[in-house]
Amino acid sequence: MTKLPRPLQAPSAHALRAISLGVLLAWAGAQTQAQTLSELVAQARGYDASWQAQQADARAAASRADQALSGLLPNVGLSAGANRTHVDIHTSVPIPGMASSFNNTQQNVQLSAQQPLYRPANKIAYEQGQRGVDVAQAQLDAAAQNLIVRVSQAYFDVLAAQDSVQVAQSQKQAISTQLEMAKRNFEVGTATITDSREAQSRFDLVTAQEIAAQNDLQVKRVALDQLVGRVGIQPTPLAAPLTLPRVEPDNMQDWVDKALAAQPQLRQAQLALDIARLDTQKAEAGHKPTVDLQAGYVVNRYPNGSMTPSIPLSYRTNAAQIGVVMNMPLFAGFAVQNRIRETVALEEKARAQLDDARRSVEQATRTAFLGVQSGQAQVKALEAALASSQSALEANKMGYEVGVRINIDVLNAQSQVYQTERDLANARYQVLLGQLKLRQAAGVLSDDDLRMIDALTRTPSIAPAAAARPAVTVTSGMAAAKPAARSLKR
């Protein structure tokens, strides 16, 4: 016998509430979708004013180089004009047949061209323009790496501020639990009023710390929004557990060699020395002759004839000329000699600045490398300290249950755990940021390093600041105290 299909039933009110809650959570997750560091840097490149200004400066440098090329190319000009002349003739004795005045019109068109054949100063100016393009490119590279570091700094600042808020909230929840327990124990007579007042004092203190942490988080968010050009940016937090990448190569001198070969600041100083040397050569060219090829074509038209009676009819003249012109400077009031002395001194200045830049780059690279190494050692030490703090907290909880520890001991142990967790997270952020700064000091920071940071992050379904951490609680009652006492006796 075939069974009839069961009629459709409307969902219950409980099911409707569950569906609505699921839709709401999905919408909230979409609204709080986090952005990776690579995405934020890409957005900052389209908004940051200093980066836009540096790009415009690079385009201006390219245009200046093209202007210098004009000194090696021919110059062609076209001119035209018309003149009207009125002449009155006055003689002591009248001359038969001669007019006493003349009106004359002259029209002319001239096409001229000049090609430099030997102008050493113009050639040197063109080479300086090309060096200027290289300087602008080095400045653009430095600005690009600086933008990455600035966005990364703001990115990790927000994450660290979020961690501070979470630590304050979790610590507040744990202290609240401890405060309630102290009040109950005081009511039943198993604890003194001191425990309650100590817990209340610690609760008020962490409340103030939470307010300060919330304010600091808002400030850090504003700084990140200002860089990216958007409001409500949510950085992607780091994954947990996290294994920090090692520095490759793990040798300080290798990083120094990289910096001396590729650092944009050092490239700018080297190019500045090259430009100073070319300035000296251009000043010395003031003693040298210049040779130009000149050509022209002139058309003169006289519609009323000439001003003399010999040519009374309209006529036109065409003239073409070509030649080579040499100019030889002989004496310019010692201007050339003084200019040479000036450029030689500026060349020495550029050489000293190059040495200073080389030393600064070496020092900055070594400092950045040592900072990363110290940060990695600090992370390991804080990981060990966190494990020890958690063990100490468990021991203090157990001692409080059996009466060998007081309430303040548990509160101090809880604070130590939360502070160590916060310090560990900050140390990890500083190590990652230090690796980026090390690559910036070496001049090799690129988008590949951002993707390395992206690989260490996770995309949460809700904003990390809203995620509640589990509170550290202390169990009470005789059922829990007896097993703890037995374990202590062992």
Side-chain angles (χ1 to χ4, degrees), residues 51-132:
W51 170 246
Q52 300 294 333
Q54 194 62 55
Q55 287 182 312
D57 186 69
R59 293 192 297 269
S63 298
R64 284 194 297 268
D66 293 338
Q67 294 175 34
L69 180 61
S70 64
L72 304 176
L73 299 178
N75 294 326
V76 181
L78 177 66
S79 62
N83 297 319
R84 177 73 174 176
T85 306
H86 177 77
V87 179
D88 290 327
I89 300 176
H90 301 278
T91 61
S92 58
V93 179
I95 301 176
M98 178 178 288
S100 61
S101 64
F102 296 95
N103 291 319
N104 180 263
T105 301
Q106 179 185 2
Q107 301 169 349
N108 63 81
V109 177
Q110 180 177 0
L111 179 65
S112 61
Q114 178 177 341
Q115 170 62 54
L117 298 180
Y118 180 73
R119 284 185 175 267
N122 291 6
K123 183 178 180 181
I124 294 173
Y126 173 71
E127 293 179 2
Q128 285 181 318
Q130 298 304 309
R131 297 294 193 282

Side-chain angles (χ1 to χ4, degrees), residues 68-287:
L69 180 61
S70 64
L72 304 176
L73 299 178
N75 294 326
V76 181
L78 177 66
S79 62
N83 297 319
R84 177 73 174 176
T85 306
H86 177 77
V87 179
D88 290 327
I89 300 176
H90 301 278
T91 61
S92 58
V93 179
I95 301 176
M98 178 178 288
S100 61
S101 64
F102 296 95
N103 291 319
N104 180 263
T105 301
Q106 179 185 2
Q107 301 169 349
N108 63 81
V109 177
Q110 180 177 0
L111 179 65
S112 61
Q114 178 177 341
Q115 170 62 54
L117 298 180
Y118 180 73
R119 284 185 175 267
N122 291 6
K123 183 178 180 181
I124 294 173
Y126 173 71
E127 293 179 2
Q128 285 181 318
Q130 298 304 309
R131 297 294 193 282
V133 173
D134 296 336
V135 169
Q137 183 60 51
Q139 293 174 344
L140 191 64
D141 293 342
Q145 298 185 30
N146 183 55
L147 178 63
I148 291 177
V149 171
R150 287 191 290 122
V151 176
S152 301
Q153 180 73 65
Y155 178 90
F156 289 122
D157 284 347
V158 172
L159 291 181
Q162 288 178 350
D163 289 341
S164 297
V165 172
Q166 293 179 27
V167 165
Q169 292 175 346
S170 299
Q171 192 172 1
K172 182 178 179 180
Q173 183 178 356
I175 294 176
S176 176
T177 302
Q178 195 71 18
L179 176 61
E180 293 296 329
M181 183 182 303
K183 289 180 179 180
R184 283 198 308 270
N185 292 339
F186 174 72
E187 291 174 356
V188 298
T190 59
T192 64
I193 191 62
T194 304
D195 289 345
S196 300
R197 291 177 177 177
E198 287 175 344
Q200 184 65 51
S201 174
R202 193 62 61 89
F203 181 84
D204 296 337
L205 176 62
V206 77
T207 300
Q209 293 174 349
E210 180 187 8
I211 295 173
Q214 291 282 5
N215 179 71
D216 183 64
L217 176 59
Q218 295 301 321
V219 172
K220 295 300 191 297
R221 285 187 181 278
V222 169
L224 181 58
D225 293 345
Q226 182 66 27
L227 276 175
V228 178
R230 291 178 53 190
V231 178
I233 294 297
Q234 176 58 58
T236 306
L238 297 180
L242 175 66
T243 301
L244 294 176
R246 298 185 58 185
V247 178
E248 295 293 341
D250 192 12
N251 183 280
M252 182 188 299
Q253 190 57 43
D254 291 342
W255 284 101
V256 172
D257 294 339
K258 282 185 178 182
L260 295 178
Q263 226 291 329
Q265 178 186 353
L266 199 56
R267 282 161 45 203
Q268 294 178 48
Q270 180 63 59
L271 290 168
L273 178 58
D274 294 342
I275 293 175
R277 289 171 178 168
L278 291 173
D279 259 338
T280 301
Q281 297 176 15
K282 186 164 65 173
E284 294 172 347
H287 290 303

